[in-house]
Amino acid sequence: MTAAVFLAPRLAEEAVPGGVFVLDGPEGRHAVSVKRLRPGEEIVLSDGEGRWAPCVVTAAEGKDRLSVEVGELREEPLPSPRLVVVQALPKGDRGELAVETMTETGVDAIVPWQAARCVTQWRGDRGAKSLAKWRATAREAGKQSRRPRFPEIAEAVSTKEAAALLSRAALAVVLHEDTGTASTPLATLPLPDEGDIVLVVGPEGGVAPEEIASFTAAGAHVCRLGPSVLRTSTAGTAAVALLSGRTGRWG
């Protein structure tokens, strides 16, 4: 099993190769009381922004204090092309499920989208709490999947803002289940070598015709994944997995 990842936001400023770093607070508590790490075991410290260091546990104290010897500080290269998913807001906890599984399969950024047919509405305190949940889910899924660079979870956007994002992409795609509307399979679409590949995943009720018109006017292709119809909470994950293979990330 690969070494567990623990978040150290100020890793580059506070960790010195060959020195001792103290992990405390919630991360220290998880290491000591949940993972029950002991001297000699290996872990990875990461700031979630690409910088990381292999470490060896030197001491576990109390319930939330872990001391480690820091190895070489390293940095994960920026991905190219980046995989960005504009995710319509699903019902219930399916949003967190989508964020979790897309993070595990390699998405680089997720943009919540308030689509016309979304049942869920992010307004006021509810919107702020939901966004915080998505960000916490991405952080925990990034740690679980041993990613040194966690995906960015952006502020929620309107259809107009989503169209502007698509217009700036190296490749923009709207996923659609109707083979009459989406005649091109995502698996055969030519991919760019750099820039952003932006995928739009619609809500349970589908992408509205006026939204498709707005997105195609911005330069987006309308594509299908396969013969089956996926839920909004799983379509993005399937697409990211497909593109992770096609771009060589899963080589």
Side-chain angles (χ1 to χ4, degrees):
M1 182 177 179
T2 56
V5 173
F6 293 89
L7 186 61
R10 295 181 56 80
L11 179 67
E13 293 86 358
E14 297 177 354
V16 178
V20 173
F21 183 92
V22 177
L23 191 67
D24 53 15
E27 292 293 278
R29 186 176 304 110
H30 184 71
V32 175
S33 299
V34 179
K35 301 291 288 187
R36 298 184 181 278
L37 295 173
R38 295 294 179 262
E41 295 190 77
E42 297 179 352
I43 69 167
V44 169
L45 293 180
S46 171
D47 64 0
E49 297 179 357
R51 291 174 289 271
W52 62 283
C55 302
V56 176
V57 177
T58 58
E61 305 171 65
K63 296 181 179 180
D64 62 356
R65 187 178 175 87
L66 191 80
S67 297
V68 300
E69 181 179 342
V70 180
E72 178 187 359
L73 291 175
R74 304 174 186 178
E75 185 162 2
E76 184 84 358
L78 287 168
S80 184
R82 284 202 327 153
L83 302 181
V84 180
V85 173
V86 177
Q87 172 68 57
L89 307 179
K91 295 183 291 186
D93 61 358
R94 289 190 177 275
E96 287 94 87
L97 173 63
V99 171
E100 179 180 55
T101 53
M102 283 193 285
T103 298
E104 292 173 358
T105 47
V107 75
D108 297 305
I110 300 173
V111 182
W113 170 39
Q114 189 72 65
R117 293 176 176 173
C118 283
V119 175
T120 298
Q121 300 288 318
W122 279 14
R123 294 195 180 98
D125 289 345
R126 177 178 181 177
K129 289 179 181 178
S130 297
L131 180 60
K133 283 184 179 180
W134 280 34
R135 287 174 171 166
T137 299
R139 182 174 62 250
E140 294 307 311
K143 289 164 53 181
Q144 186 277 328
S145 55
R146 313 299 197 255
R147 289 186 58 172
R149 190 183 299 278
F150 302 164
E152 171 195 353
I153 309 296
E155 297 282 341
V157 298
S158 64
T159 296
K160 182 178 179 180
E161 291 168 327
L165 179 65
L166 295 174
S167 70
R168 298 190 296 270
L171 174 65
V173 176
V174 181
L175 298 178
H176 202 287
E177 77 282 359
D178 186 350
T179 56
T181 303
S183 57
T184 304
L186 181 61
T188 65
L189 199 65
L191 303 181
D193 294 325
E194 56 185 22
D196 287 354
I197 298 175
V198 181
L199 301 167
V200 176
V201 177
E204 285 88 348
V207 184
E210 61 272 18
E211 292 169 333
I212 290 182
S214 177
F215 294 156
T216 53
H221 302 264
V222 182
C223 297
R224 55 186 170 84
L225 273 171
S228 59
V229 178
L230 302 181
R231 289 182 179 271
T232 184
S233 54
T234 56
T237 300
V240 169
L242 171 64
L243 293 177
S244 291
R246 292 196 60 203
T247 57
R249 296 188 185 201
W250 286 8

mmCIF file of all heavy atoms in Angstrom, residues 145-186:
data_model
loop_
_atom_site.group_PDB
_atom_site.id
_atom_site.type_symbol
_atom_site.label_atom_id
_atom_site.label_comp_id
_atom_site.label_asym_id
_atom_site.label_seq_id
_atom_site.Cartn_x
_atom_site.Cartn_y
_atom_site.Cartn_z
ATOM 1 N N SER A 145 -6.835 9.414 -2.543
ATOM 2 C CA SER A 145 -6.322 8.902 -3.808
ATOM 3 C C SER A 145 -4.852 9.237 -4.033
ATOM 4 O O SER A 145 -4.332 9.021 -5.126
ATOM 5 C CB SER A 145 -7.176 9.428 -4.969
ATOM 6 O OG SER A 145 -7.243 10.836 -4.955
ATOM 7 N N ARG A 146 -4.197 9.776 -2.987
ATOM 8 C CA ARG A 146 -2.745 10.041 -3.003
ATOM 9 C C ARG A 146 -2.363 11.081 -4.058
ATOM 10 O O ARG A 146 -1.353 10.958 -4.733
ATOM 11 C CB ARG A 146 -1.949 8.753 -3.239
ATOM 12 C CG ARG A 146 -2.352 7.544 -2.388
ATOM 13 C CD ARG A 146 -2.192 7.782 -0.898
ATOM 14 N NE ARG A 146 -2.185 6.545 -0.146
ATOM 15 C CZ ARG A 146 -3.210 6.100 0.609
ATOM 16 N NH1 ARG A 146 -4.326 6.814 0.686
ATOM 17 N NH2 ARG A 146 -3.095 4.964 1.276
ATOM 18 N N ARG A 147 -3.184 12.105 -4.186
ATOM 19 C CA ARG A 147 -2.888 13.168 -5.152
ATOM 20 C C ARG A 147 -2.140 14.307 -4.469
ATOM 21 O O ARG A 147 -2.628 14.853 -3.465
ATOM 22 C CB ARG A 147 -4.180 13.722 -5.757
ATOM 23 C CG ARG A 147 -4.877 12.787 -6.698
ATOM 24 C CD ARG A 147 -6.069 13.447 -7.360
ATOM 25 N NE ARG A 147 -5.721 14.654 -8.105
ATOM 26 C CZ ARG A 147 -6.564 15.312 -8.894
ATOM 27 N NH1 ARG A 147 -7.810 14.881 -9.026
ATOM 28 N NH2 ARG A 147 -6.184 16.384 -9.540
ATOM 29 N N PRO A 148 -0.989 14.734 -4.988
ATOM 30 C CA PRO A 148 -0.294 15.882 -4.396
ATOM 31 C C PRO A 148 -0.928 17.214 -4.793
ATOM 32 O O PRO A 148 -0.703 18.227 -4.139
ATOM 33 C CB PRO A 148 1.123 15.768 -4.969
ATOM 34 C CG PRO A 148 0.957 15.024 -6.238
ATOM 35 C CD PRO A 148 -0.189 14.082 -6.033
ATOM 36 N N ARG A 149 -1.721 17.202 -5.865
ATOM 37 C CA ARG A 149 -2.395 18.430 -6.305
ATOM 38 C C ARG A 149 -3.898 18.163 -6.324
ATOM 39 O O ARG A 149 -4.392 17.398 -7.140
ATOM 40 C CB ARG A 149 -1.912 18.835 -7.698
ATOM 41 C CG ARG A 149 -2.371 20.220 -8.139
ATOM 42 C CD ARG A 149 -1.912 20.532 -9.565
ATOM 43 N NE ARG A 149 -0.468 20.519 -9.703
ATOM 44 C CZ ARG A 149 0.329 21.546 -9.384
ATOM 45 N NH1 ARG A 149 -0.199 22.654 -8.911
ATOM 46 N NH2 ARG A 149 1.651 21.438 -9.536
ATOM 47 N N PHE A 150 -4.627 18.826 -5.411
ATOM 48 C CA PHE A 150 -6.060 18.606 -5.312
ATOM 49 C C PHE A 150 -6.795 19.464 -6.346
ATOM 50 O O PHE A 150 -6.323 20.540 -6.714
ATOM 51 C CB PHE A 150 -6.577 18.970 -3.917
ATOM 52 C CG PHE A 150 -5.913 18.216 -2.791
ATOM 53 C CD1 PHE A 150 -6.033 18.662 -1.477
ATOM 54 C CD2 PHE A 150 -5.164 17.069 -3.024
ATOM 55 C CE1 PHE A 150 -5.418 17.989 -0.437
ATOM 56 C CE2 PHE A 150 -4.552 16.378 -1.980
ATOM 57 C CZ PHE A 150 -4.680 16.847 -0.677
ATOM 58 N N PRO A 151 -7.971 19.014 -6.814
ATOM 59 C CA PRO A 151 -8.697 19.813 -7.795
ATOM 60 C C PRO A 151 -9.248 21.109 -7.193
ATOM 61 O O PRO A 151 -9.611 21.162 -6.019
ATOM 62 C CB PRO A 151 -9.841 18.897 -8.237
ATOM 63 C CG PRO A 151 -10.001 17.923 -7.125
ATOM 64 C CD PRO A 151 -8.645 17.733 -6.529
ATOM 65 N N GLU A 152 -9.296 22.124 -8.021
ATOM 66 C CA GLU A 152 -9.909 23.394 -7.628
ATOM 67 C C GLU A 152 -11.429 23.264 -7.732
ATOM 68 O O GLU A 152 -11.943 22.736 -8.715
ATOM 69 C CB GLU A 152 -9.426 24.503 -8.559
ATOM 70 C CG GLU A 152 -10.149 25.820 -8.395
ATOM 71 C CD GLU A 152 -9.908 26.781 -9.543
ATOM 72 O OE1 GLU A 152 -9.068 26.466 -10.408
ATOM 73 O OE2 GLU A 152 -10.575 27.834 -9.584
ATOM 74 N N ILE A 153 -12.146 23.731 -6.720
ATOM 75 C CA ILE A 153 -13.608 23.788 -6.772
ATOM 76 C C ILE A 153 -13.982 25.263 -6.845
ATOM 77 O O ILE A 153 -13.834 26.006 -5.872
ATOM 78 C CB ILE A 153 -14.269 23.130 -5.548
ATOM 79 C CG1 ILE A 153 -13.715 21.723 -5.324
ATOM 80 C CG2 ILE A 153 -15.786 23.105 -5.725
ATOM 81 C CD1 ILE A 153 -14.002 20.741 -6.420
ATOM 82 N N ALA A 154 -14.452 25.694 -7.990
ATOM 83 C CA ALA A 154 -14.719 27.106 -8.230
ATOM 84 C C ALA A 154 -16.063 27.524 -7.630
ATOM 85 O O ALA A 154 -16.856 26.699 -7.171
ATOM 86 C CB ALA A 154 -14.724 27.375 -9.729
ATOM 87 N N GLU A 155 -16.324 28.816 -7.635
ATOM 88 C CA GLU A 155 -17.631 29.343 -7.265
ATOM 89 C C GLU A 155 -18.655 28.897 -8.313
ATOM 90 O O GLU A 155 -18.317 28.668 -9.482
ATOM 91 C CB GLU A 155 -17.598 30.866 -7.204
ATOM 92 C CG GLU A 155 -16.649 31.439 -6.151
ATOM 93 C CD GLU A 155 -17.230 31.373 -4.742
ATOM 94 O OE1 GLU A 155 -18.465 31.229 -4.613
ATOM 95 O OE2 GLU A 155 -16.434 31.468 -3.786
ATOM 96 N N ALA A 156 -19.909 28.775 -7.902
ATOM 97 C CA ALA A 156 -20.966 28.377 -8.831
ATOM 98 C C ALA A 156 -21.149 29.432 -9.921
ATOM 99 O O ALA A 156 -20.989 30.634 -9.674
ATOM 100 C CB ALA A 156 -22.276 28.162 -8.078
ATOM 101 N N VAL A 157 -21.471 28.955 -11.124
ATOM 102 C CA VAL A 157 -21.632 29.863 -12.260
ATOM 103 C C VAL A 157 -23.025 29.740 -12.865
ATOM 104 O O VAL A 157 -23.709 28.717 -12.723
ATOM 105 C CB VAL A 157 -20.579 29.598 -13.359
ATOM 106 C CG1 VAL A 157 -19.176 29.827 -12.822
ATOM 107 C CG2 VAL A 157 -20.723 28.186 -13.935
ATOM 108 N N SER A 158 -23.417 30.788 -13.581
ATOM 109 C CA SER A 158 -24.644 30.781 -14.369
ATOM 110 C C SER A 158 -24.349 30.180 -15.742
ATOM 111 O O SER A 158 -23.191 29.913 -16.094
ATOM 112 C CB SER A 158 -25.156 32.211 -14.527
ATOM 113 O OG SER A 158 -24.212 32.977 -15.282
ATOM 114 N N THR A 159 -25.387 30.001 -16.536
ATOM 115 C CA THR A 159 -25.186 29.491 -17.899
ATOM 116 C C THR A 159 -24.347 30.461 -18.724
ATOM 117 O O THR A 159 -23.464 30.042 -19.490
ATOM 118 C CB THR A 159 -26.544 29.249 -18.571
ATOM 119 O OG1 THR A 159 -27.233 28.213 -17.848
ATOM 120 C CG2 THR A 159 -26.376 28.821 -20.022
ATOM 121 N N LYS A 160 -24.573 31.753 -18.570
ATOM 122 C CA LYS A 160 -23.792 32.753 -19.306
ATOM 123 C C LYS A 160 -22.322 32.671 -18.925
ATOM 124 O O LYS A 160 -21.434 32.724 -19.800
ATOM 125 C CB LYS A 160 -24.337 34.152 -19.013
ATOM 126 C CG LYS A 160 -23.623 35.265 -19.758
ATOM 127 C CD LYS A 160 -24.244 36.618 -19.454
ATOM 128 C CE LYS A 160 -23.518 37.744 -20.194
ATOM 129 N NZ LYS A 160 -24.127 39.071 -19.896
ATOM 130 N N GLU A 161 -22.045 32.510 -17.637
ATOM 131 C CA GLU A 161 -20.655 32.406 -17.184
ATOM 132 C C GLU A 161 -20.022 31.098 -17.652
ATOM 133 O O GLU A 161 -18.839 31.057 -18.000
ATOM 134 C CB GLU A 161 -20.607 32.526 -15.662
ATOM 135 C CG GLU A 161 -20.964 33.922 -15.160
ATOM 136 C CD GLU A 161 -21.205 33.964 -13.659
ATOM 137 O OE1 GLU A 161 -21.714 32.961 -13.107
ATOM 138 O OE2 GLU A 161 -20.909 35.007 -13.049
ATOM 139 N N ALA A 162 -20.805 30.019 -17.670
ATOM 140 C CA ALA A 162 -20.293 28.734 -18.158
ATOM 141 C C ALA A 162 -19.947 28.830 -19.642
ATOM 142 O O ALA A 162 -18.922 28.303 -20.091
ATOM 143 C CB ALA A 162 -21.324 27.637 -17.920
ATOM 144 N N ALA A 163 -20.784 29.516 -20.422
ATOM 145 C CA ALA A 163 -20.511 29.684 -21.850
ATOM 146 C C ALA A 163 -19.217 30.469 -22.067
ATOM 147 O O ALA A 163 -18.432 30.154 -22.975
ATOM 148 C CB ALA A 163 -21.685 30.387 -22.531
ATOM 149 N N ALA A 164 -18.976 31.477 -21.232
ATOM 150 C CA ALA A 164 -17.733 32.252 -21.343
ATOM 151 C C ALA A 164 -16.529 31.370 -21.053
ATOM 152 O O ALA A 164 -15.481 31.496 -21.718
ATOM 153 C CB ALA A 164 -17.777 33.442 -20.387
ATOM 154 N N LEU A 165 -16.658 30.481 -20.081
ATOM 155 C CA LEU A 165 -15.580 29.543 -19.764
ATOM 156 C C LEU A 165 -15.308 28.619 -20.954
ATOM 157 O O LEU A 165 -14.150 28.356 -21.316
ATOM 158 C CB LEU A 165 -15.961 28.728 -18.528
ATOM 159 C CG LEU A 165 -14.970 27.668 -18.048
ATOM 160 C CD1 LEU A 165 -13.674 28.315 -17.582
ATOM 161 C CD2 LEU A 165 -15.582 26.850 -16.914
ATOM 162 N N LEU A 166 -16.364 28.135 -21.580
ATOM 163 C CA LEU A 166 -16.208 27.254 -22.733
ATOM 164 C C LEU A 166 -15.531 27.964 -23.902
ATOM 165 O O LEU A 166 -14.735 27.361 -24.637
ATOM 166 C CB LEU A 166 -17.578 26.733 -23.181
ATOM 167 C CG LEU A 166 -18.317 25.819 -22.203
ATOM 168 C CD1 LEU A 166 -19.711 25.507 -22.717
ATOM 169 C CD2 LEU A 166 -17.551 24.536 -21.969
ATOM 170 N N SER A 167 -15.824 29.242 -24.075
ATOM 171 C CA SER A 167 -15.250 29.986 -25.201
ATOM 172 C C SER A 167 -13.739 30.140 -25.079
ATOM 173 O O SER A 167 -13.061 30.347 -26.079
ATOM 174 C CB SER A 167 -15.910 31.365 -25.303
ATOM 175 O OG SER A 167 -15.517 32.205 -24.223
ATOM 176 N N ARG A 168 -13.212 30.021 -23.861
ATOM 177 C CA ARG A 168 -11.771 30.176 -23.640
ATOM 178 C C ARG A 168 -11.035 28.838 -23.631
ATOM 179 O O ARG A 168 -9.811 28.797 -23.508
ATOM 180 C CB ARG A 168 -11.519 30.901 -22.307
ATOM 181 C CG ARG A 168 -12.095 32.305 -22.242
ATOM 182 C CD ARG A 168 -11.601 33.043 -21.009
ATOM 183 N NE ARG A 168 -12.045 32.440 -19.764
ATOM 184 C CZ ARG A 168 -13.171 32.755 -19.131
ATOM 185 N NH1 ARG A 168 -13.987 33.672 -19.648
ATOM 186 N NH2 ARG A 168 -13.500 32.169 -17.990
ATOM 187 N N ALA A 169 -11.756 27.736 -23.729
ATOM 188 C CA ALA A 169 -11.153 26.402 -23.623
ATOM 189 C C ALA A 169 -10.441 25.998 -24.909
ATOM 190 O O ALA A 169 -10.807 26.422 -26.012
ATOM 191 C CB ALA A 169 -12.225 25.372 -23.282
ATOM 192 N N ALA A 170 -9.421 25.151 -24.763
ATOM 193 C CA ALA A 170 -8.777 24.565 -25.936
ATOM 194 C C ALA A 170 -9.718 23.570 -26.608
ATOM 195 O O ALA A 170 -9.692 23.397 -27.831
ATOM 196 C CB ALA A 170 -7.481 23.874 -25.528
ATOM 197 N N LEU A 171 -10.550 22.912 -25.797
ATOM 198 C CA LEU A 171 -11.593 22.016 -26.299
ATOM 199 C C LEU A 171 -12.766 22.086 -25.334
ATOM 200 O O LEU A 171 -12.584 21.891 -24.127
ATOM 201 C CB LEU A 171 -11.085 20.574 -26.404
ATOM 202 C CG LEU A 171 -12.135 19.529 -26.794
ATOM 203 C CD1 LEU A 171 -12.649 19.780 -28.209
ATOM 204 C CD2 LEU A 171 -11.570 18.110 -26.672
ATOM 205 N N ALA A 172 -13.944 22.348 -25.855
ATOM 206 C CA ALA A 172 -15.154 22.429 -25.021
ATOM 207 C C ALA A 172 -16.146 21.376 -25.496
ATOM 208 O O ALA A 172 -16.373 21.222 -26.701
ATOM 209 C CB ALA A 172 -15.767 23.823 -25.117
ATOM 210 N N VAL A 173 -16.721 20.649 -24.540
ATOM 211 C CA VAL A 173 -17.619 19.545 -24.864
ATOM 212 C C VAL A 173 -18.837 19.587 -23.942
ATOM 213 O O VAL A 173 -18.701 19.761 -22.730
ATOM 214 C CB VAL A 173 -16.913 18.184 -24.692
ATOM 215 C CG1 VAL A 173 -17.888 17.034 -24.938
ATOM 216 C CG2 VAL A 173 -15.709 18.070 -25.612
ATOM 217 N N VAL A 174 -20.015 19.411 -24.525
ATOM 218 C CA VAL A 174 -21.242 19.205 -23.754
ATOM 219 C C VAL A 174 -21.611 17.736 -23.885
ATOM 220 O O VAL A 174 -21.785 17.241 -25.003
ATOM 221 C CB VAL A 174 -22.391 20.087 -24.271
ATOM 222 C CG1 VAL A 174 -23.646 19.856 -23.432
ATOM 223 C CG2 VAL A 174 -22.007 21.556 -24.241
ATOM 224 N N LEU A 175 -21.702 17.040 -22.770
ATOM 225 C CA LEU A 175 -22.106 15.637 -22.810
ATOM 226 C C LEU A 175 -23.622 15.542 -22.939
ATOM 227 O O LEU A 175 -24.351 16.230 -22.233
ATOM 228 C CB LEU A 175 -21.640 14.919 -21.543
ATOM 229 C CG LEU A 175 -20.122 14.866 -21.320
ATOM 230 C CD1 LEU A 175 -19.803 14.163 -20.007
ATOM 231 C CD2 LEU A 175 -19.425 14.169 -22.481
ATOM 232 N N HIS A 176 -24.080 14.675 -23.842
ATOM 233 C CA HIS A 176 -25.516 14.550 -24.092
ATOM 234 C C HIS A 176 -25.830 13.100 -24.395
ATOM 235 O O HIS A 176 -25.055 12.407 -25.060
ATOM 236 C CB HIS A 176 -25.920 15.448 -25.260
ATOM 237 C CG HIS A 176 -27.370 15.813 -25.281
ATOM 238 N ND1 HIS A 176 -28.362 14.929 -25.630
ATOM 239 C CD2 HIS A 176 -27.996 16.980 -24.977
ATOM 240 C CE1 HIS A 176 -29.536 15.534 -25.544
ATOM 241 N NE2 HIS A 176 -29.342 16.772 -25.155
ATOM 242 N N GLU A 177 -26.995 12.635 -23.911
ATOM 243 C CA GLU A 177 -27.340 11.222 -24.078
ATOM 244 C C GLU A 177 -28.066 10.931 -25.386
ATOM 245 O O GLU A 177 -28.153 9.771 -25.812
ATOM 246 C CB GLU A 177 -28.213 10.752 -22.902
ATOM 247 C CG GLU A 177 -29.675 11.185 -22.939
ATOM 248 C CD GLU A 177 -29.892 12.627 -22.516
ATOM 249 O OE1 GLU A 177 -28.905 13.306 -22.175
ATOM 250 O OE2 GLU A 177 -31.055 13.079 -22.528
ATOM 251 N N ASP A 178 -28.600 11.950 -26.058
ATOM 252 C CA ASP A 178 -29.383 11.761 -27.276
ATOM 253 C C ASP A 178 -28.452 11.623 -28.483
ATOM 254 O O ASP A 178 -27.757 12.572 -28.851
ATOM 255 C CB ASP A 178 -30.329 12.947 -27.467
ATOM 256 C CG ASP A 178 -31.293 12.757 -28.639
ATOM 257 O OD1 ASP A 178 -31.102 11.809 -29.418
ATOM 258 O OD2 ASP A 178 -32.241 13.556 -28.750
ATOM 259 N N THR A 179 -28.457 10.450 -29.103
ATOM 260 C CA THR A 179 -27.562 10.240 -30.244
ATOM 261 C C THR A 179 -27.931 11.116 -31.433
ATOM 262 O O THR A 179 -27.094 11.378 -32.298
ATOM 263 C CB THR A 179 -27.571 8.755 -30.677
ATOM 264 O OG1 THR A 179 -28.927 8.362 -30.954
ATOM 265 C CG2 THR A 179 -26.998 7.870 -29.580
ATOM 266 N N GLY A 180 -29.180 11.590 -31.479
ATOM 267 C CA GLY A 180 -29.557 12.500 -32.544
ATOM 268 C C GLY A 180 -28.927 13.868 -32.361
ATOM 269 O O GLY A 180 -28.521 14.520 -33.326
ATOM 270 N N THR A 181 -28.819 14.294 -31.103
ATOM 271 C CA THR A 181 -28.192 15.582 -30.798
ATOM 272 C C THR A 181 -26.683 15.457 -30.727
ATOM 273 O O THR A 181 -25.948 16.341 -31.177
ATOM 274 C CB THR A 181 -28.728 16.126 -29.452
ATOM 275 O OG1 THR A 181 -30.154 16.230 -29.527
ATOM 276 C CG2 THR A 181 -28.147 17.492 -29.134
ATOM 277 N N ALA A 182 -26.235 14.338 -30.150
ATOM 278 C CA ALA A 182 -24.793 14.117 -29.958
ATOM 279 C C ALA A 182 -24.352 12.941 -30.813
ATOM 280 O O ALA A 182 -24.378 11.794 -30.369
ATOM 281 C CB ALA A 182 -24.509 13.851 -28.479
ATOM 282 N N SER A 183 -23.950 13.213 -32.037
ATOM 283 C CA SER A 183 -23.581 12.129 -32.948
ATOM 284 C C SER A 183 -22.122 11.708 -32.814
ATOM 285 O O SER A 183 -21.734 10.622 -33.234
ATOM 286 C CB SER A 183 -23.849 12.556 -34.398
ATOM 287 O OG SER A 183 -23.133 13.741 -34.706
ATOM 288 N N THR A 184 -21.283 12.574 -32.204
ATOM 289 C CA THR A 184 -19.846 12.288 -32.096
ATOM 290 C C THR A 184 -19.524 11.662 -30.741
ATOM 291 O O THR A 184 -19.831 12.243 -29.699
ATOM 292 C CB THR A 184 -19.022 13.579 -32.255
ATOM 293 O OG1 THR A 184 -19.353 14.194 -33.494
ATOM 294 C CG2 THR A 184 -17.530 13.273 -32.201
ATOM 295 N N PRO A 185 -18.888 10.488 -30.718
ATOM 296 C CA PRO A 185 -18.470 9.913 -29.432
ATOM 297 C C PRO A 185 -17.283 10.697 -28.850
ATOM 298 O O PRO A 185 -16.372 11.085 -29.600
ATOM 299 C CB PRO A 185 -18.042 8.490 -29.789
ATOM 300 C CG PRO A 185 -18.568 8.249 -31.169
ATOM 301 C CD PRO A 185 -18.622 9.581 -31.838
ATOM 302 N N LEU A 186 -17.287 10.912 -27.556
ATOM 303 C CA LEU A 186 -16.159 11.589 -26.909
ATOM 304 C C LEU A 186 -14.862 10.819 -27.142
ATOM 305 O O LEU A 186 -13.787 11.409 -27.237
ATOM 306 C CB LEU A 186 -16.423 11.741 -25.406
ATOM 307 C CG LEU A 186 -15.347 12.451 -24.583
ATOM 308 C CD1 LEU A 186 -15.135 13.879 -25.074
ATOM 309 C CD2 LEU A 186 -15.705 12.438 -23.104
#
